[in-house]
């Protein structure tokens, strides 16, 4: 739900802002703004993002219980 709402909110914000940038400063400004936003978001995600519980290794006792 968080990802879906974030995608909708991003579209809601990026559409008008991108249009304003293109009409006021040209397409290169919108391209640069998206590039900077993408680099910043990637750096934040690289630092903060983690795998969920499904990617975590199971403790040895859980594996022994299954065997």
């Amino acid at each position: 739900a968080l990802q879906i709402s974030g995608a909708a909110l991003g579209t809601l914000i990026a559409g008008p802002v991108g249009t304003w940038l293109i009409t006021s400063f040209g397409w290169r400004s919108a391209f640069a703004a998206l590039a900077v936003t993408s680099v910043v978001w990637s750096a934040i995600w690289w630092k903060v993002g983690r795998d969920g519980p499904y990617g975590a290794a199971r403790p040895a006792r859980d594996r022994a219980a299954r065997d």
Side-chain angles (χ1 to χ4, degrees):
L2 184 61
Q3 289 176 334
I4 292 170
S5 63
L9 185 62
T11 303
L12 183 69
I13 293 170
V17 171
T19 302
W20 174 76
L21 283 171
I22 291 170
T23 57
S24 299
F25 305 105
W27 68 269
R28 289 175 184 89
S29 65
F31 188 83
L34 287 173
V36 168
T37 303
S38 298
V39 168
V40 168
W41 178 250
S42 296
I44 292 170
W45 188 254
W46 180 62
K47 193 70 174 166
V48 177
R50 302 276 185 260
D51 283 340
Y54 302 113
R58 290 184 158 197
R61 61 183 167 87
D62 287 346
R63 282 185 294 222
R66 287 186 313 201
D67 294 336

